[in-house]
Structure formats: structure tokens, C-alpha cells
Amino acid sequence: MPSKSEPIIIVGAGAFGLSLAHELAANRGYTDVTVLDRHLPPVPDGSSVDVSRVIRSEYADPLYASLGREAIEKWASPEWSEHYHEAGFLIFANGQGHPYFDACLQAAAGRKLFSGDQIDADINQLYPTVNAMTAGKVAMDSPQGGWAHAKNAIAGLAERASQAGVTFITGSRGKVVELLQEGNKVQGVRTAGGATLSAPTVVLATGAWTNRFMPKLEHNLSATGQVLGFIQLTPEEVQRYKDVPVMINLSTGVFTFPPTPDTHQIKIARHGYGYQSSMRASDDRAISSPRDSLTKYIPREAAEALQHGIAEFYPEFAGRPWCNTRLCWYMDTPDGDFLADYHPDIEGLFFATGGSGHAFKFLPVLGRHVADCFERKAHPDLQKKWKFHTVTERPRTLVMGSDGSRGGPPLRKLSDAEQAKL
Ligand SMILES: *[C@@H]1O[C@H](CO)[C@@H](O)[C@H](O)[C@H]1NC(C)=O
Ligand SMILES: *[C@@H]1O[C@H](CO)[C@@H](O)[C@H](O)[C@H]1NC(C)=O
């Protein structure tokens, strides 16, 4: 186990890196924690930014459901509540029989099921301005849940980490290009500026970028681009829709947020199987990884699917042009479980990643649980979930991100022409 006074390098200032850094420095007595990233947090192309993330405790898996409830309690507490909007969470499915929908409904008391001819009237009793197309559908409401302001929550956490003594290095000196090893022991990192930083413990909290440093991870991690878009509303329109909940359509994976109070925009996105890019890793293998660019490009069929979603959730805004679109890069694991474990063969190398598009909601409690794994004292159930799995424990045939909550078309590799636009 790492000593509390020796240097610890955490690569990546996203949800995993910051929450772990903060926990180690603020609550566990680690005195030499350094976070490296290309950018100051909130990192503009990370999956921990932009205005909103769903906060929910609806999970088919009881462990995440319980973590979700723990996190929501924290989101509602004074430390985090300025970033949390308890707008409610409404889940739509095309009839019952959807495994995730049914499991969530069974898993917790207090969820309301809406169906049949009454569906519109019942939903409108709770959310008078919801106007989604509901004919023949079922829906489930969770009053505890809503959304968090991702960018602001991250900025606040970075500030608290800094106050707790965490060192931040950004720019070319913070851009890690190589992991340094001697034999099977980690030594530190090399940065784009050419400098090396030594530490006996390195944490890769590198999200979708992880395969660049550790290309031989086989079936454990794969980066996928997920689409999202924003439309602009007028202040009057925002006033009209300010009390809508977060809504997801499980048939398509498309979900949407209430209008943001400050920028007056509605965000819509797809929690799907996503897109892969291809680029060369340091050992020349082809990997899927985000480009370090801020492009608005999203594939055409995805833009159409999102427009379709707008028309279904907010019929009044059908056809409104995008004011922004982008790909948000997930780091997926086969079953959607996070990775918080030491590399089995490289001493001193810890992974805190694999968010699989659902980690942000745990931000207020993520650091504590990841730090427990880091100190090898997490509950065995959690440790087992977030560890490196072997082939026998996790068959290669699993489709990435198969936790049951995603929808839409299967994973697709972007064509060369599409990748040229990234
Ligand atoms: C990753 O996954 C593969 C196959 O699923 C497994 O054999 C391997 O040991 C895992 N761990 C690492 C560190 O690559
Ligand atoms: C969800 O998507 C399905 C498939 O496109 C569609 O039939 C249904 O109307 C959608 N439901 C809502 C509430 O938008």
C-alpha cells in the first residue's frame, strides 16, 4: 500500500481523479498528491463537463442503487446542493417487459408507474408541463433524482482539492505522454514537455484516454463517443418548461434535461453503444480514443435521432436548429462496472476509470469508495465489482456497456471521412 508521505501522481482531473485526490489529501492524510492534466479542471473535452448530468438511483444492480441513494443524500446536503437540481426523473419504455425498467421498478418502493389511458393525466398531475408523446407507453417516476451542474460541481471539487493541498500541473507539463516503468514497477510519467516526474505510485484516472498509456488492456476498457446536442430557448420558453423532469426513453437511449436556468438551453443526448475512432497507440496497435480537439461534429444519423428525441419530448421545439453538438467520450467496460484496482502485473499502478457513462452522479461519494479500493480496504463486494476481471470471470462476448440501461443502434466504428471531421 502506498505510504502517506511519498509522492502520488494522479493522471486526469475528471470525476475519478479529482474525487480521489481530494479524498486522499483532505481526509486520509496523504501529503504529496499531484494531479496532472492537459487542462485546468473542468477539462473541456472530458466526460465530466458541460452543464448537466443525470442524478438517479434507478439501477437494476442493488449495489449501484444503494451508492446512488448515498450520493443523492450528499448532493442534497449543503456542501453540494448549489449544483444539484432535484427535478425528478421520468423513464419511458414501450410497454413493460424491458428488463432494466422492470428491475428498477421492483428494486425500490416509492416509484410510481404510469400506464394505459391515464398515463398523460397522471404524469401531468406531477409535471403539468410535460408534453411528451406517451401513447401506448409506460413510464416510471422517481421524485428523488434530477440533474447536477457538472462543470460547476467539478470546479468546486478542484478548488476544495487544491485547498486540501493537492498540487495541480496543467498544460504541456501536465500532458502525460508515457508511463515510466522499471521492470514491473512504475517509476513515474513523462510529459509532453519532455520532463519526467517520479513517483512510486501512479493513478490512471484518464477516462477515455486510458488506452493511450496502457494499450494492452484487451477487453477491459474501450472508449466510445456518445452524442449530445443543445437547442436555445427564449426566457419565456424556459419559464414555461422550468419544472419538467429529466426524461429518458429506454427504447432509444435518448434522454433530455430541463432548460438550464442561466443559458436557457435544453440538452439532449443518447446513452447508447456509441462510436469508435481508430488511432495508433504507442505500441502501434489500433485503439479507439478521442482526438484532443473540440469539434462540433456528430454523425448524421445521430443528429437525426436526437432531433427525433426533441420532437418526442418537447413537440413544440421540433426542428429547432442546434446551438451546439459534440461527442462525449465514455470509457466503457464490458458490464459497465467501474475500474478501481491495481494493475495485476505492474507494481504501483492504480486505475480509477471505466465510468461507462454513469459515474458522474456518484461524484460526492466516489472518492471515498475509490480510495477504499486504493487502500485495499473496500467492502469485498465492491472490490470484486471494480477489479480487473479475467477472461473466465467476464466472457469476451459481452457487448461493451451491457448494464441494461442503454438503447439505440449497436456500436459502430466511424468511417475515415467521419473521423477526419473530429
Ligand atoms: C483484461 O481483460 C482480458 C480479457 O478479458 C484479461 O485476460 C486480462 O487479464 C485483463 N487484465 C489486464 C490487466 O489487461
Ligand atoms: C420512445 O421511442 C420509441 C421508439 O422510437 C417511440 O415509439 C416512443 O414514442 C418514444 N417515447 C417517448 C415518450 O418519447
mmCIF file of all heavy atoms in Angstrom, residues 198-243:
data_model
loop_
_atom_site.group_PDB
_atom_site.id
_atom_site.type_symbol
_atom_site.label_atom_id
_atom_site.label_comp_id
_atom_site.label_asym_id
_atom_site.label_seq_id
_atom_site.Cartn_x
_atom_site.Cartn_y
_atom_site.Cartn_z
ATOM 1 N N SER A 198 8.771 11.721 -11.042
ATOM 2 C CA SER A 198 8.929 10.407 -10.412
ATOM 3 C C SER A 198 7.944 10.216 -9.278
ATOM 4 O O SER A 198 7.673 11.145 -8.520
ATOM 5 C CB SER A 198 10.330 10.259 -9.838
ATOM 6 O OG SER A 198 11.259 10.492 -10.851
ATOM 7 N N ALA A 199 7.442 9.012 -9.177
ATOM 8 C CA ALA A 199 6.588 8.643 -8.042
ATOM 9 C C ALA A 199 6.474 7.123 -8.020
ATOM 10 O O ALA A 199 6.390 6.500 -9.082
ATOM 11 C CB ALA A 199 5.199 9.261 -8.164
ATOM 12 N N PRO A 200 6.460 6.549 -6.838
ATOM 13 C CA PRO A 200 6.295 5.093 -6.751
ATOM 14 C C PRO A 200 4.860 4.645 -7.012
ATOM 15 O O PRO A 200 4.607 3.466 -7.221
ATOM 16 C CB PRO A 200 6.708 4.769 -5.313
ATOM 17 C CG PRO A 200 6.482 6.031 -4.540
ATOM 18 C CD PRO A 200 6.664 7.158 -5.503
ATOM 19 N N THR A 201 3.938 5.613 -6.985
ATOM 20 C CA THR A 201 2.527 5.275 -7.239
ATOM 21 C C THR A 201 1.950 6.217 -8.288
ATOM 22 O O THR A 201 2.042 7.441 -8.140
ATOM 23 C CB THR A 201 1.693 5.416 -5.943
ATOM 24 O OG1 THR A 201 2.335 4.674 -4.908
ATOM 25 C CG2 THR A 201 0.285 4.895 -6.142
ATOM 26 N N VAL A 202 1.387 5.644 -9.323
ATOM 27 C CA VAL A 202 0.726 6.442 -10.358
ATOM 28 C C VAL A 202 -0.710 5.934 -10.514
ATOM 29 O O VAL A 202 -0.940 4.722 -10.571
ATOM 30 C CB VAL A 202 1.466 6.338 -11.716
ATOM 31 C CG1 VAL A 202 0.674 7.025 -12.824
ATOM 32 C CG2 VAL A 202 2.863 6.931 -11.615
ATOM 33 N N VAL A 203 -1.639 6.884 -10.536
ATOM 34 C CA VAL A 203 -3.043 6.530 -10.742
ATOM 35 C C VAL A 203 -3.440 6.988 -12.138
ATOM 36 O O VAL A 203 -3.254 8.159 -12.484
ATOM 37 C CB VAL A 203 -3.948 7.224 -9.701
ATOM 38 C CG1 VAL A 203 -5.418 6.915 -9.972
ATOM 39 C CG2 VAL A 203 -3.572 6.807 -8.279
ATOM 40 N N LEU A 204 -3.960 6.083 -12.940
ATOM 41 C CA LEU A 204 -4.512 6.482 -14.237
ATOM 42 C C LEU A 204 -6.010 6.727 -14.067
ATOM 43 O O LEU A 204 -6.794 5.794 -13.918
ATOM 44 C CB LEU A 204 -4.268 5.409 -15.299
ATOM 45 C CG LEU A 204 -2.823 5.249 -15.792
ATOM 46 C CD1 LEU A 204 -2.766 4.191 -16.894
ATOM 47 C CD2 LEU A 204 -2.249 6.567 -16.306
ATOM 48 N N ALA A 205 -6.358 8.016 -14.025
ATOM 49 C CA ALA A 205 -7.771 8.406 -13.965
ATOM 50 C C ALA A 205 -8.020 9.134 -15.277
ATOM 51 O O ALA A 205 -8.485 10.266 -15.312
ATOM 52 C CB ALA A 205 -8.026 9.295 -12.756
ATOM 53 N N THR A 206 -7.665 8.478 -16.353
ATOM 54 C CA THR A 206 -7.532 9.099 -17.664
ATOM 55 C C THR A 206 -8.747 8.886 -18.553
ATOM 56 O O THR A 206 -8.698 9.219 -19.742
ATOM 57 C CB THR A 206 -6.272 8.544 -18.350
ATOM 58 O OG1 THR A 206 -6.070 7.187 -17.922
ATOM 59 C CG2 THR A 206 -5.047 9.318 -17.951
ATOM 60 N N GLY A 207 -9.823 8.349 -17.991
ATOM 61 C CA GLY A 207 -11.057 8.213 -18.756
ATOM 62 C C GLY A 207 -10.821 7.612 -20.123
ATOM 63 O O GLY A 207 -10.065 6.644 -20.278
ATOM 64 N N ALA A 208 -11.428 8.218 -21.132
ATOM 65 C CA ALA A 208 -11.375 7.681 -22.490
ATOM 66 C C ALA A 208 -9.974 7.677 -23.091
ATOM 67 O O ALA A 208 -9.737 7.075 -24.129
ATOM 68 C CB ALA A 208 -12.321 8.476 -23.382
ATOM 69 N N TRP A 209 -9.021 8.352 -22.429
ATOM 70 C CA TRP A 209 -7.659 8.429 -22.939
ATOM 71 C C TRP A 209 -6.781 7.269 -22.442
ATOM 72 O O TRP A 209 -5.634 7.144 -22.829
ATOM 73 C CB TRP A 209 -7.013 9.766 -22.532
ATOM 74 C CG TRP A 209 -7.476 10.925 -23.330
ATOM 75 C CD1 TRP A 209 -6.791 11.517 -24.371
ATOM 76 C CD2 TRP A 209 -8.695 11.674 -23.193
ATOM 77 N NE1 TRP A 209 -7.526 12.566 -24.883
ATOM 78 C CE2 TRP A 209 -8.699 12.680 -24.179
ATOM 79 C CE3 TRP A 209 -9.796 11.572 -22.340
ATOM 80 C CZ2 TRP A 209 -9.752 13.598 -24.323
ATOM 81 C CZ3 TRP A 209 -10.845 12.473 -22.489
ATOM 82 C CH2 TRP A 209 -10.819 13.458 -23.465
ATOM 83 N N THR A 210 -7.332 6.435 -21.557
ATOM 84 C CA THR A 210 -6.528 5.434 -20.848
ATOM 85 C C THR A 210 -5.760 4.490 -21.772
ATOM 86 O O THR A 210 -4.599 4.165 -21.512
ATOM 87 C CB THR A 210 -7.428 4.613 -19.888
ATOM 88 O OG1 THR A 210 -8.158 5.537 -19.081
ATOM 89 C CG2 THR A 210 -6.611 3.697 -19.008
ATOM 90 N N ASN A 211 -6.384 4.076 -22.861
ATOM 91 C CA ASN A 211 -5.719 3.109 -23.738
ATOM 92 C C ASN A 211 -4.471 3.670 -24.417
ATOM 93 O O ASN A 211 -3.671 2.931 -24.959
ATOM 94 C CB ASN A 211 -6.691 2.588 -24.800
ATOM 95 C CG ASN A 211 -7.655 1.583 -24.212
ATOM 96 O OD1 ASN A 211 -7.273 0.801 -23.341
ATOM 97 N ND2 ASN A 211 -8.898 1.606 -24.651
ATOM 98 N N ARG A 212 -4.308 4.976 -24.389
ATOM 99 C CA ARG A 212 -3.105 5.554 -24.979
ATOM 100 C C ARG A 212 -1.874 5.212 -24.150
ATOM 101 O O ARG A 212 -0.777 5.084 -24.664
ATOM 102 C CB ARG A 212 -3.224 7.064 -25.025
ATOM 103 C CG ARG A 212 -4.333 7.500 -25.945
ATOM 104 C CD ARG A 212 -3.913 8.772 -26.602
ATOM 105 N NE ARG A 212 -5.067 9.428 -27.158
ATOM 106 C CZ ARG A 212 -5.093 10.716 -27.454
ATOM 107 N NH1 ARG A 212 -4.047 11.465 -27.200
ATOM 108 N NH2 ARG A 212 -6.163 11.226 -27.984
ATOM 109 N N PHE A 213 -2.071 5.130 -22.833
ATOM 110 C CA PHE A 213 -0.923 4.866 -21.959
ATOM 111 C C PHE A 213 -0.724 3.381 -21.717
ATOM 112 O O PHE A 213 0.355 2.925 -21.409
ATOM 113 C CB PHE A 213 -1.116 5.555 -20.600
ATOM 114 C CG PHE A 213 -1.477 6.980 -20.748
ATOM 115 C CD1 PHE A 213 -2.764 7.416 -20.521
ATOM 116 C CD2 PHE A 213 -0.526 7.902 -21.176
ATOM 117 C CE1 PHE A 213 -3.106 8.731 -20.690
ATOM 118 C CE2 PHE A 213 -0.866 9.224 -21.350
ATOM 119 C CZ PHE A 213 -2.163 9.643 -21.110
ATOM 120 N N MET A 214 -1.795 2.652 -21.804
ATOM 121 C CA MET A 214 -1.793 1.237 -21.447
ATOM 122 C C MET A 214 -2.507 0.481 -22.535
ATOM 123 O O MET A 214 -3.661 0.096 -22.398
ATOM 124 C CB MET A 214 -2.598 1.064 -20.149
ATOM 125 C CG MET A 214 -1.788 1.070 -18.920
ATOM 126 S SD MET A 214 -1.124 -0.592 -18.728
ATOM 127 C CE MET A 214 0.580 -0.244 -18.652
ATOM 128 N N PRO A 215 -1.857 0.308 -23.662
ATOM 129 C CA PRO A 215 -2.592 -0.258 -24.784
ATOM 130 C C PRO A 215 -2.975 -1.725 -24.616
ATOM 131 O O PRO A 215 -3.858 -2.197 -25.280
ATOM 132 C CB PRO A 215 -1.654 -0.062 -25.968
ATOM 133 C CG PRO A 215 -0.355 0.367 -25.422
ATOM 134 C CD PRO A 215 -0.469 0.618 -23.966
ATOM 135 N N LYS A 216 -2.320 -2.438 -23.721
ATOM 136 C CA LYS A 216 -2.584 -3.887 -23.673
ATOM 137 C C LYS A 216 -3.666 -4.243 -22.665
ATOM 138 O O LYS A 216 -3.524 -5.175 -21.901
ATOM 139 C CB LYS A 216 -1.286 -4.621 -23.335
ATOM 140 C CG LYS A 216 -0.258 -4.504 -24.444
ATOM 141 C CD LYS A 216 0.892 -5.449 -24.210
ATOM 142 C CE LYS A 216 2.041 -5.152 -25.134
ATOM 143 N NZ LYS A 216 2.717 -3.868 -24.806
ATOM 144 N N LEU A 217 -4.719 -3.510 -22.677
ATOM 145 C CA LEU A 217 -5.769 -3.788 -21.693
ATOM 146 C C LEU A 217 -6.836 -4.732 -22.233
ATOM 147 O O LEU A 217 -7.808 -5.037 -21.566
ATOM 148 C CB LEU A 217 -6.410 -2.482 -21.225
ATOM 149 C CG LEU A 217 -5.478 -1.656 -20.346
ATOM 150 C CD1 LEU A 217 -5.995 -0.247 -20.152
ATOM 151 C CD2 LEU A 217 -5.274 -2.327 -19.001
ATOM 152 N N GLU A 218 -6.607 -5.182 -23.437
ATOM 153 C CA GLU A 218 -7.511 -6.146 -24.072
ATOM 154 C C GLU A 218 -8.966 -5.729 -23.961
ATOM 155 O O GLU A 218 -9.330 -4.644 -24.345
ATOM 156 C CB GLU A 218 -7.274 -7.529 -23.476
ATOM 157 C CG GLU A 218 -5.847 -7.980 -23.741
ATOM 158 C CD GLU A 218 -5.638 -9.412 -23.364
ATOM 159 O OE1 GLU A 218 -6.463 -10.245 -23.774
ATOM 160 O OE2 GLU A 218 -4.643 -9.700 -22.679
ATOM 161 N N HIS A 219 -9.738 -6.608 -23.336
ATOM 162 C CA HIS A 219 -11.177 -6.398 -23.363
ATOM 163 C C HIS A 219 -11.675 -5.603 -22.153
ATOM 164 O O HIS A 219 -12.863 -5.494 -21.916
ATOM 165 C CB HIS A 219 -11.870 -7.763 -23.414
ATOM 166 C CG HIS A 219 -13.316 -7.696 -23.766
ATOM 167 N ND1 HIS A 219 -13.784 -6.973 -24.836
ATOM 168 C CD2 HIS A 219 -14.407 -8.227 -23.187
ATOM 169 C CE1 HIS A 219 -15.087 -7.092 -24.893
ATOM 170 N NE2 HIS A 219 -15.501 -7.838 -23.905
ATOM 171 N N ASN A 220 -10.769 -5.033 -21.365
ATOM 172 C CA ASN A 220 -11.214 -4.393 -20.127
ATOM 173 C C ASN A 220 -11.786 -2.995 -20.320
ATOM 174 O O ASN A 220 -12.682 -2.586 -19.602
ATOM 175 C CB ASN A 220 -10.068 -4.329 -19.129
ATOM 176 C CG ASN A 220 -9.584 -5.719 -18.762
ATOM 177 O OD1 ASN A 220 -10.277 -6.428 -18.058
ATOM 178 N ND2 ASN A 220 -8.433 -6.104 -19.282
ATOM 179 N N LEU A 221 -11.239 -2.258 -21.248
ATOM 180 C CA LEU A 221 -11.645 -0.859 -21.423
ATOM 181 C C LEU A 221 -11.701 -0.504 -22.898
ATOM 182 O O LEU A 221 -10.811 -0.879 -23.662
ATOM 183 C CB LEU A 221 -10.621 0.077 -20.756
ATOM 184 C CG LEU A 221 -10.468 0.042 -19.238
ATOM 185 C CD1 LEU A 221 -9.230 0.828 -18.828
ATOM 186 C CD2 LEU A 221 -11.697 0.602 -18.549
ATOM 187 N N SER A 222 -12.710 0.245 -23.290
ATOM 188 C CA SER A 222 -12.784 0.707 -24.671
ATOM 189 C C SER A 222 -13.501 2.057 -24.710
ATOM 190 O O SER A 222 -14.513 2.244 -24.038
ATOM 191 C CB SER A 222 -13.547 -0.334 -25.493
ATOM 192 O OG SER A 222 -13.917 0.211 -26.725
ATOM 193 N N ALA A 223 -12.940 3.001 -25.458
ATOM 194 C CA ALA A 223 -13.521 4.347 -25.482
ATOM 195 C C ALA A 223 -14.601 4.445 -26.552
ATOM 196 O O ALA A 223 -14.409 4.012 -27.691
ATOM 197 C CB ALA A 223 -12.430 5.374 -25.764
ATOM 198 N N THR A 224 -15.752 5.004 -26.189
ATOM 199 C CA THR A 224 -16.798 5.239 -27.182
ATOM 200 C C THR A 224 -17.272 6.688 -27.123
ATOM 201 O O THR A 224 -17.398 7.258 -26.038
ATOM 202 C CB THR A 224 -18.032 4.324 -26.971
ATOM 203 O OG1 THR A 224 -18.572 4.545 -25.667
ATOM 204 C CG2 THR A 224 -17.668 2.866 -27.132
ATOM 205 N N GLY A 225 -17.528 7.248 -28.289
ATOM 206 C CA GLY A 225 -18.067 8.603 -28.387
ATOM 207 C C GLY A 225 -19.586 8.532 -28.352
ATOM 208 O O GLY A 225 -20.198 7.726 -29.057
ATOM 209 N N GLN A 226 -20.187 9.359 -27.506
ATOM 210 C CA GLN A 226 -21.644 9.386 -27.368
ATOM 211 C C GLN A 226 -22.116 10.782 -27.755
ATOM 212 O O GLN A 226 -21.469 11.766 -27.430
ATOM 213 C CB GLN A 226 -22.032 9.087 -25.919
ATOM 214 C CG GLN A 226 -21.422 7.812 -25.371
ATOM 215 C CD GLN A 226 -22.139 6.548 -25.833
ATOM 216 O OE1 GLN A 226 -23.295 6.600 -26.260
ATOM 217 N NE2 GLN A 226 -21.459 5.417 -25.751
ATOM 218 N N VAL A 227 -23.279 10.848 -28.402
ATOM 219 C CA VAL A 227 -23.681 12.127 -28.985
ATOM 220 C C VAL A 227 -24.534 12.970 -28.045
ATOM 221 O O VAL A 227 -25.314 12.440 -27.260
ATOM 222 C CB VAL A 227 -24.476 11.927 -30.284
ATOM 223 C CG1 VAL A 227 -23.533 11.436 -31.360
ATOM 224 C CG2 VAL A 227 -25.639 10.968 -30.096
ATOM 225 N N LEU A 228 -24.363 14.270 -28.172
ATOM 226 C CA LEU A 228 -25.268 15.171 -27.464
ATOM 227 C C LEU A 228 -25.412 16.494 -28.221
ATOM 228 O O LEU A 228 -24.562 16.852 -29.040
ATOM 229 C CB LEU A 228 -24.792 15.406 -26.029
ATOM 230 C CG LEU A 228 -23.419 15.975 -25.763
ATOM 231 C CD1 LEU A 228 -23.513 17.464 -25.555
ATOM 232 C CD2 LEU A 228 -22.841 15.330 -24.512
ATOM 233 N N GLY A 229 -26.519 17.164 -27.956
ATOM 234 C CA GLY A 229 -26.793 18.431 -28.625
ATOM 235 C C GLY A 229 -27.548 19.385 -27.717
ATOM 236 O O GLY A 229 -28.140 18.967 -26.718
ATOM 237 N N PHE A 230 -27.484 20.664 -28.075
ATOM 238 C CA PHE A 230 -28.186 21.694 -27.306
ATOM 239 C C PHE A 230 -29.045 22.527 -28.247
ATOM 240 O O PHE A 230 -28.617 22.835 -29.364
ATOM 241 C CB PHE A 230 -27.191 22.659 -26.652
ATOM 242 C CG PHE A 230 -26.316 22.036 -25.599
ATOM 243 C CD1 PHE A 230 -25.103 21.447 -25.951
ATOM 244 C CD2 PHE A 230 -26.684 22.042 -24.268
ATOM 245 C CE1 PHE A 230 -24.290 20.879 -24.988
ATOM 246 C CE2 PHE A 230 -25.872 21.480 -23.298
ATOM 247 C CZ PHE A 230 -24.672 20.894 -23.650
ATOM 248 N N ILE A 231 -30.241 22.897 -27.779
ATOM 249 C CA ILE A 231 -31.021 23.898 -28.514
ATOM 250 C C ILE A 231 -31.247 25.103 -27.606
ATOM 251 O O ILE A 231 -31.263 24.975 -26.383
ATOM 252 C CB ILE A 231 -32.380 23.348 -29.020
ATOM 253 C CG1 ILE A 231 -33.223 22.814 -27.851
ATOM 254 C CG2 ILE A 231 -32.182 22.294 -30.092
ATOM 255 C CD1 ILE A 231 -34.671 22.521 -28.237
ATOM 256 N N GLN A 232 -31.395 26.244 -28.238
ATOM 257 C CA GLN A 232 -31.565 27.501 -27.492
ATOM 258 C C GLN A 232 -33.047 27.814 -27.316
ATOM 259 O O GLN A 232 -33.815 27.715 -28.266
ATOM 260 C CB GLN A 232 -30.878 28.641 -28.267
ATOM 261 C CG GLN A 232 -30.860 29.958 -27.527
ATOM 262 C CD GLN A 232 -29.973 29.906 -26.285
ATOM 263 O OE1 GLN A 232 -28.818 29.509 -26.370
ATOM 264 N NE2 GLN A 232 -30.527 30.283 -25.141
ATOM 265 N N LEU A 233 -33.420 28.190 -26.096
ATOM 266 C CA LEU A 233 -34.798 28.622 -25.816
ATOM 267 C C LEU A 233 -34.804 30.107 -25.490
ATOM 268 O O LEU A 233 -33.768 30.679 -25.145
ATOM 269 C CB LEU A 233 -35.351 27.841 -24.611
ATOM 270 C CG LEU A 233 -36.136 26.556 -24.889
ATOM 271 C CD1 LEU A 233 -35.347 25.602 -25.744
ATOM 272 C CD2 LEU A 233 -36.544 25.887 -23.596
ATOM 273 N N THR A 234 -35.972 30.707 -25.570
ATOM 274 C CA THR A 234 -36.104 32.089 -25.117
ATOM 275 C C THR A 234 -36.400 32.066 -23.616
ATOM 276 O O THR A 234 -36.848 31.039 -23.094
ATOM 277 C CB THR A 234 -37.284 32.792 -25.820
ATOM 278 O OG1 THR A 234 -38.492 32.137 -25.403
ATOM 279 C CG2 THR A 234 -37.169 32.733 -27.338
ATOM 280 N N PRO A 235 -36.183 33.172 -22.917
ATOM 281 C CA PRO A 235 -36.501 33.203 -21.486
ATOM 282 C C PRO A 235 -37.961 32.839 -21.205
ATOM 283 O O PRO A 235 -38.263 32.180 -20.218
ATOM 284 C CB PRO A 235 -36.216 34.654 -21.082
ATOM 285 C CG PRO A 235 -35.212 35.132 -22.078
ATOM 286 C CD PRO A 235 -35.523 34.411 -23.360
ATOM 287 N N GLU A 236 -38.875 33.216 -22.104
ATOM 288 C CA GLU A 236 -40.293 32.883 -21.910
ATOM 289 C C GLU A 236 -40.497 31.375 -22.007
ATOM 290 O O GLU A 236 -41.256 30.788 -21.250
ATOM 291 C CB GLU A 236 -41.186 33.577 -22.956
ATOM 292 C CG GLU A 236 -41.218 35.093 -22.891
ATOM 293 C CD GLU A 236 -39.890 35.726 -23.313
ATOM 294 O OE1 GLU A 236 -39.298 35.268 -24.325
ATOM 295 O OE2 GLU A 236 -39.429 36.665 -22.638
ATOM 296 N N GLU A 237 -39.828 30.752 -22.961
ATOM 297 C CA GLU A 237 -39.956 29.295 -23.112
ATOM 298 C C GLU A 237 -39.402 28.574 -21.886
ATOM 299 O O GLU A 237 -39.958 27.583 -21.424
ATOM 300 C CB GLU A 237 -39.233 28.839 -24.390
ATOM 301 C CG GLU A 237 -39.970 29.246 -25.651
ATOM 302 C CD GLU A 237 -39.125 29.086 -26.919
ATOM 303 O OE1 GLU A 237 -37.875 29.012 -26.819
ATOM 304 O OE2 GLU A 237 -39.712 29.051 -28.001
ATOM 305 N N VAL A 238 -38.302 29.091 -21.362
ATOM 306 C CA VAL A 238 -37.708 28.486 -20.166
ATOM 307 C C VAL A 238 -38.695 28.558 -19.004
ATOM 308 O O VAL A 238 -38.888 27.593 -18.265
ATOM 309 C CB VAL A 238 -36.390 29.188 -19.784
ATOM 310 C CG1 VAL A 238 -35.881 28.696 -18.446
ATOM 311 C CG2 VAL A 238 -35.344 28.964 -20.861
ATOM 312 N N GLN A 239 -39.338 29.699 -18.877
ATOM 313 C CA GLN A 239 -40.313 29.892 -17.814
ATOM 314 C C GLN A 239 -41.408 28.820 -17.895
ATOM 315 O O GLN A 239 -41.812 28.236 -16.910
ATOM 316 C CB GLN A 239 -40.893 31.317 -17.954
ATOM 317 C CG GLN A 239 -41.694 31.804 -16.764
ATOM 318 C CD GLN A 239 -40.897 31.702 -15.455
ATOM 319 O OE1 GLN A 239 -39.665 31.767 -15.442
ATOM 320 N NE2 GLN A 239 -41.617 31.511 -14.352
ATOM 321 N N ARG A 240 -41.829 28.541 -19.134
ATOM 322 C CA ARG A 240 -42.907 27.580 -19.357
ATOM 323 C C ARG A 240 -42.475 26.154 -18.991
ATOM 324 O O ARG A 240 -43.246 25.374 -18.481
ATOM 325 C CB ARG A 240 -43.317 27.659 -20.828
ATOM 326 C CG ARG A 240 -44.729 27.262 -21.059
ATOM 327 C CD ARG A 240 -45.369 27.921 -22.266
ATOM 328 N NE ARG A 240 -44.788 27.631 -23.546
ATOM 329 C CZ ARG A 240 -44.280 28.566 -24.354
ATOM 330 N NH1 ARG A 240 -44.237 29.829 -23.978
ATOM 331 N NH2 ARG A 240 -43.795 28.230 -25.534
ATOM 332 N N TYR A 241 -41.233 25.828 -19.261
ATOM 333 C CA TYR A 241 -40.784 24.434 -19.084
ATOM 334 C C TYR A 241 -39.847 24.253 -17.894
ATOM 335 O O TYR A 241 -39.172 23.252 -17.797
ATOM 336 C CB TYR A 241 -40.093 23.951 -20.369
ATOM 337 C CG TYR A 241 -41.070 23.674 -21.485
ATOM 338 C CD1 TYR A 241 -41.262 24.595 -22.503
ATOM 339 C CD2 TYR A 241 -41.823 22.498 -21.493
ATOM 340 C CE1 TYR A 241 -42.182 24.352 -23.513
ATOM 341 C CE2 TYR A 241 -42.738 22.254 -22.500
ATOM 342 C CZ TYR A 241 -42.919 23.182 -23.515
ATOM 343 O OH TYR A 241 -43.816 22.928 -24.506
ATOM 344 N N LYS A 242 -39.819 25.224 -16.997
ATOM 345 C CA LYS A 242 -38.791 25.136 -15.954
ATOM 346 C C LYS A 242 -39.016 23.987 -14.976
ATOM 347 O O LYS A 242 -38.080 23.558 -14.309
ATOM 348 C CB LYS A 242 -38.655 26.470 -15.218
ATOM 349 C CG LYS A 242 -39.852 26.860 -14.372
ATOM 350 C CD LYS A 242 -39.575 28.191 -13.698
ATOM 351 C CE LYS A 242 -40.690 28.765 -12.887
ATOM 352 N NZ LYS A 242 -41.751 27.923 -12.406
ATOM 353 N N ASP A 243 -40.239 23.437 -14.926
ATOM 354 C CA ASP A 243 -40.493 22.378 -13.950
ATOM 355 C C ASP A 243 -40.577 20.980 -14.552
ATOM 356 O O ASP A 243 -41.090 20.058 -13.920
ATOM 357 C CB ASP A 243 -41.781 22.679 -13.172
ATOM 358 C CG ASP A 243 -41.626 23.929 -12.314
ATOM 359 O OD1 ASP A 243 -40.520 24.127 -11.779
ATOM 360 O OD2 ASP A 243 -42.598 24.708 -12.199
#
